[in-house]
Amino acid sequence: MPKEHKKRGRREEKKRKRDEHALIHESSVKRQKSEDIEDDVKIIVDGDVSGVGEANSCSAGPGDLPFYGLLDDDEQEYFKSADTLLELNQFADVDERNLFLANVYREANGKELKIANSQSCSRLMERLILMSSPSQLKALFQKFSGHFLHLVQHRFASHCCETLFLQSAPIVTQELTAPLEETQQDAANGEVYVSMENLFLYTVNELEGNLGYLMTDPFASHTLRVLLVVLSGRPLTSSETTSLLQSKKKEKIDIATQAPKLPHADATPRTVPDSFHVAVNGMILGIIAGLDTTYIRAMAAHPVGNPVLQLLLELEFSESGKQKAKDENSLFRKLLPDDPPTEGTASASFVNGLLYDAVGSRLLETIVRCAPGKVFKALYRSLFRERLGSLARNEIAGFVVIRVLERLSREDLEHAVEQICPQIASLIERSRTSVIKTMIERCQARQVGTLPIANTLQESYGKDGSNGLLRMLKLESSDTEGMGQDRKKQLEAQDAGRLHGSLLAQAMVKAPGPLRDLVTSNILSMDTSVLLLMAKDRTATHVLQTSLTCSEQTTSFRRKVVQQFLGHASDLALDAVASHVVDTFWTATDGLLFIREQIAEELVESESTLRESFSGRAVWRNWMMDLYKRRKTEWISKAKGTGVSAGNTHKSAKSGIELAREKFAAARKNKQRGFRGGVDSTGSNNVSIPRMLSS
């Protein structure tokens, strides 16, 4: 028997022993991992009564999620094709779409939980929910009932639960105001009618006792927030609500042609039954009951638990703010037990830690924004009043300072201006102008003098003519000539400092007095080439538009600025950004008819070029150029005394035939009523004589 071929040498011997040792170690590690998985992870199959009983008896953790089974290949193929058809939404009519939805629901009967937990088909479930009728939503809600505790923790099924809650919320309001037709149908069929209100309450009862760990679950946390918003009656589509409910990375599941919206699905508060308010208070008490101050404060810095705490605080303050602020068992008092939280107390140390924490500062913003007046004043005087200047310089604490400025009285705002003005130069150097912008807006609202702010801004940006405004807008360093539009957008999106500078300049223009004069004097000193560059810049153009259309702007300023653009109106109209500036010229030339006619003549000369461009056609329509060409006298009469915006000028006067129709309708109406005195059918005068009162 031949011997095994081996390489000679000590290095080969060491290498062989090292490989054998690594192989033995790898096999032992793999075996140990597999044994740990078998011991720790217990998969509960749907239908296994013993497993489900254990899961319901104890606190269901992430490893206790049940397994509802998998879809076979044919089912996956069918549901994927159905998802594609629903996404395109290219049905002939509503009846055809409803028939297709009914067929999909028929095929999905008994497989709803499998579809919701499927990575490839959970999107179908979301689209089904978006297009379903109230009766279909109720049927699906009942299928999910009893499984919500596990579904909200699942990576894919949790999104289905969120969509189901949001789409079902308007139905609760609809049932309160006008009961649905299916109530009579269920009674006629002998079926038990279940309202959407009861379905939501069943869900709250199912999740009760497990809300503590659901707050920090990466998937259940979002669903819990949606449920709280629905129960509280808050608007579902407002910007503040949307930022609390979902992150910017959330995939948006929509339909090509949007399905018809249900009533009350807008940004206004919704009408909810009293049982929902009781349920919200019960959920808040259930969450706080088992949590102490240390745990709640630790959750304030938790990236998943922090948004839930924000929502709970908002709901607590909105329900009964003054009473809850004094209650020792409230969430607010568990966070800040010291009243007031003066320096040296544990509450003051906790607030100081939140000020400089990227996650915790958002909770502090919520407290400042929603706390009752007395509570906010106590916090402000003890923790913020003498520190606003230093806090404004910090990148994170500056956002809390903005919320504080929004609630200050006139006297406190004057004191805040004295503290923040010396820090304006450093704020501008770091491109953190949001605090300055908010301070200007609040000074305008509280009628506080802005001369110290204007002087400080002028010293910070320089007194040399228009260069100060150019530095504020960062136009002097913009070298984008010859770049493509996509590249320009990318560079502008990366430079947030330009956007903040533009917002600051707009706030200055809207504040009458020295701040507006500072910006307008800079604009008047600019050359025409710089103004053209400013009009075509995506961020700087808003400053130019605001300066021309803001209230109480002088006629001389508007005339001087618009005259510098004469001869360039056609070129600006062809630009996607600068075309909006041409639209504002209509409002800016109110009372300046001769300038309006010059711009109109320039647009007429470039008619063919403008009609070939999308932005050019918009300018042509907003300036009513067809009316100018056909009936110039009528256009001039409109241009003389109107001050409406260019976007609304397409509503022309009534034509002759419309006036004739109205005149004929009025005459016919008078004829039907009859005249009080006139000629009757016999031709004799039938004048009514008032009766004399008898003495």
Side-chain angles (χ1 to χ4, degrees):
M1 183 176 181
K3 295 182 179 180
E4 180 185 0
H5 177 70
K6 296 181 180 180
K7 292 185 178 181
R8 298 175 62 185
R10 289 176 296 176
R11 292 183 179 177
E12 291 297 330
E13 184 68 18
K14 291 181 180 180
K15 183 179 178 182
R16 183 178 60 81
K17 292 181 179 180
R18 186 169 62 249
D19 293 342
E20 290 178 356
H21 179 72
L23 183 62
I24 294 172
H25 177 70
E26 183 179 359
S27 61
S28 63
V29 170
K30 287 182 178 179
R31 183 165 57 252
Q32 182 180 0
K33 285 183 178 180
S34 62
E35 292 173 355
D36 292 342
I37 292 174
E38 292 177 359
D39 293 339
D40 295 340
V41 180
K42 297 178 180 179
I43 299 178
I44 304 172
V45 182
D46 190 20
D48 187 356
V49 181
S50 61
V52 175
E54 292 177 7
N56 292 333
S57 62
C58 63
S59 294
D64 300 325
L65 297 181
F67 179 67
Y68 295 106
L70 298 174
L71 298 170
D72 57 33
D73 295 339
D74 295 337
E75 292 172 342
Q76 285 193 8
E77 188 66 28
Y78 171 77
F79 289 129
K80 284 181 181 179
S81 61
D83 183 30
T84 304
L85 292 175
L86 288 177
E87 182 180 6
L88 297 175
N89 197 20
Q90 296 177 348
F91 300 100
D93 51 15
V94 179
D95 295 335
E96 182 180 349
R97 187 187 66 186
N98 293 338
L99 180 61
F100 180 78
L101 286 174
N103 291 332
V104 174
Y105 268 110
R106 191 179 301 111
E107 291 293 332
N109 187 24
K111 309 181 186 73
E112 294 87 357
L113 299 177
K114 293 182 182 180
I115 297 174
N117 285 267
S118 173
Q119 179 179 3
S120 57
C121 299
S122 60
R123 294 180 181 87
L124 167 67
M125 182 61 68
E126 291 191 60
R127 288 196 176 91
L128 275 177
I129 295 171
L130 290 174
M131 305 179 72
S132 295
S133 63
S135 58
Q136 291 170 335
L137 288 175
K138 283 187 178 182
L140 185 61
F141 215 122
Q142 291 176 341
K143 295 284 186 180
F144 283 1
S145 292
H147 304 277
F148 275 115
L149 180 59
H150 306 301
L151 293 177
V152 297
Q153 299 179 67
H154 194 272
R155 179 179 181 181
F156 307 114
S158 60
H159 296 283
C160 299
C161 295
E162 292 177 31
T163 310
L164 180 62
F165 292 159
L166 290 174
Q167 292 297 116
S168 302
I171 301 177
V172 178
T173 306
Q174 189 177 357
E175 290 178 346
L176 287 176
T177 55
L180 302 176
E181 297 179 357
E182 60 186 24
T183 308
Q184 293 84 6
Q185 296 178 0
D186 292 344
N189 298 333
E191 299 178 0
V192 178
Y193 172 74
V194 181
S195 64
M196 190 63 76
E197 174 187 354
N198 290 332
L199 291 176
F200 272 108
L201 295 177
Y202 294 156
T203 305
V204 174
N205 292 334
E206 183 180 350
L207 300 180
E208 190 177 3
N210 304 287
L211 300 174
Y213 74 84
L214 291 181
M215 291 176 61
T216 55
D217 186 88
F219 306 119
S221 170
H222 299 275
T223 314
L224 183 60
R225 291 176 232 165
V226 172
L227 183 59
L228 286 169
V229 169
V230 170
L231 295 176
S232 64
R234 292 185 54 177
L236 300 176
T237 57
S238 63
S239 58
E240 294 182 358
T241 303
T242 305
S243 63
L244 272 177
L245 297 185
Q246 60 190 25
S247 64
K248 297 180 180 179
K249 299 179 181 179
K250 179 178 172 61
E251 180 184 359
K252 183 175 177 59
I253 303 296
D254 54 4
I255 305 164
T257 305
Q258 186 63 35
K261 291 185 178 180
L262 291 170
H264 303 282
D266 51 17
T268 58
R270 295 170 294 106
T271 304
V272 294
D274 296 335
S275 58
F276 277 16
H277 295 291
V278 176
V280 170
N281 292 331
M283 291 177 69
I284 296 176
L285 292 176
I287 290 174
I288 323 173
L291 304 179
D292 56 357
T293 300
T294 305
Y295 186 84
I296 295 178
R297 287 181 175 179
M299 196 177 295
H302 194 280
V304 178
N306 180 278
V308 185
L309 281 182
Q310 294 182 49
L311 183 57
L312 292 176
L313 277 174
E314 288 186 25
L315 296 177
E316 187 177 81
F317 286 136
S318 62
E319 292 291 333
S320 53
K322 295 182 179 179
Q323 290 78 7
K324 289 293 183 181
K326 300 177 182 178
D327 188 4
E328 296 181 356
N329 296 322
S330 64
L331 178 60
F332 175 72
R333 278 302 161 204
K334 285 202 172 185
L335 277 171
L336 303 175
D338 300 306
D339 187 18
T342 55
E343 287 292 339
T345 60
S347 298
S349 302
F350 172 66
V351 171
N352 290 332
L354 293 181
L355 277 170
Y356 304 102
D357 186 79
V359 178
S361 61
R362 297 180 180 272
L363 180 65
L364 192 55
E365 289 182 50
T366 303
I367 295 175
V368 171
R369 178 169 53 89
C370 302
K374 291 184 178 180
V375 176
F376 168 74
K377 290 179 181 178
L379 286 172
Y380 172 71
R381 291 169 182 169
S382 58
L383 299 177
F384 297 112
R385 179 179 172 83
E386 305 301 331
R387 303 171 56 194
L388 285 180
S390 59
L391 292 176
R393 294 198 308 266
N394 188 268
E395 182 180 5
I396 297 173
F399 293 100
V400 182
V401 173
I402 291 175
R403 295 296 185 183
V404 171
L405 291 174
E406 291 174 351
R407 296 200 60 177
L408 292 183
S409 62
R410 180 173 181 176
E411 293 75 13
D412 291 332
L413 186 59
E414 291 175 350
H415 183 265
V417 170
E418 295 177 359
Q419 284 195 326
I420 297 177
C421 275
Q423 312 297 333
I424 287 180
S426 61
L427 291 175
I428 292 174
E429 184 180 356
R430 303 174 187 179
S431 298
R432 297 172 187 164
T433 57
S434 300
V435 176
I436 309 174
K437 168 182 168 292
T438 305
M439 185 170 59
I440 293 173
E441 293 173 347
R442 297 311 302 165
C443 287
Q444 183 183 2
R446 296 292 187 185
Q447 298 181 354
V448 176
T450 56
L451 183 59
I453 305 176
N455 294 334
T456 309
L457 286 173
Q458 189 172 9
E459 294 175 359
S460 302
Y461 283 111
K463 303 180 181 180
D464 47 346
S466 63
N467 291 332
L469 182 59
L470 293 179
R471 278 194 287 271
M472 184 184 299
L473 301 175
K474 296 190 176 181
L475 280 178
E476 55 185 6
S477 59
S478 60
D479 187 12
T480 58
E481 293 294 334
M483 287 188 182
Q485 293 294 330
D486 296 338
R487 180 57 178 166
K488 287 182 180 179
K489 292 180 183 178
Q490 184 179 4
L491 291 176
E492 291 170 1
Q494 292 175 355
D495 190 1
R498 299 185 64 190
L499 174 61
H500 289 295
S502 175
L503 294 175
L504 174 61
Q506 293 176 56
M508 294 171 63
V509 169
K510 293 177 182 177
L515 288 172
R516 176 183 291 181
D517 296 339
L518 184 61
V519 177
T520 53
S521 61
N522 276 260
I523 293 177
L524 290 175
S525 62
M526 290 181 180
D527 297 333
T528 304
S529 58
V530 180
L531 286 175
L532 291 175
L533 177 63
M534 187 176 176
K536 296 180 180 180
D537 188 82
R538 290 186 174 273
T539 55
T541 183
H542 296 285
V543 179
L544 185 60
Q545 296 176 37
T546 305
S547 65
L548 291 172
T549 58
C550 63
S551 60
E552 301 178 3
Q553 184 60 274
T554 60
T555 305
S556 61
F557 171 80
R558 292 186 280 112
R559 175 177 53 81
K560 292 177 183 178
V561 173
V562 176
Q563 281 182 334
Q564 293 196 57
F565 288 99
L566 294 179
H568 304 279
S570 300
D571 296 335
L572 294 177
L574 297 175
D575 189 83
V577 177
S579 60
H580 297 285
V581 179
V582 183
D583 290 339
T584 60
F585 286 167
W586 179 271
T587 307
T589 54
D590 184 23
L592 303 172
L593 179 60
F594 68 99
I595 298 181
R596 280 185 177 176
E597 290 190 50
Q598 292 182 28
I599 297 176
E601 286 294 336
E602 184 179 347
L603 295 177
V604 168
E605 294 176 0
S606 306
E607 178 181 0
S608 58
T609 309
L610 293 176
R611 290 188 180 275
E612 294 176 357
S613 169
F614 177 80
S615 58
R617 289 193 298 270
V619 171
W620 185 271
R621 180 178 63 255
N622 293 335
W623 271 76
M624 302 180 295
M625 295 309 300
D626 290 329
L627 181 65
Y628 179 83
K629 288 183 61 179
R630 297 170 185 172
R631 298 190 297 272
K632 186 175 180 180
T633 306
E634 186 176 346
W635 184 92
I636 291 176
S637 64
K638 285 178 173 296
K640 277 184 178 179
T642 179
V644 297
S645 61
N648 297 328
T649 53
H650 63 277
K651 297 181 180 179
S652 58
K654 295 180 181 179
S655 60
I657 187 64
E658 292 175 345
L659 294 174
R661 287 172 180 169
E662 290 182 359
K663 186 177 180 180
F664 177 79
R668 186 176 181 181
K669 190 175 182 181
N670 292 332
K671 187 177 181 180
Q672 290 176 352
R673 290 180 179 176
F675 295 99
R676 193 169 187 82
V679 181
D680 59 7
S681 59
T682 61
S684 61
N685 291 337
N686 184 16
V687 181
S688 61
I689 301 176
R691 296 174 58 183
M692 297 182 62
L693 296 175
S694 60
S695 60

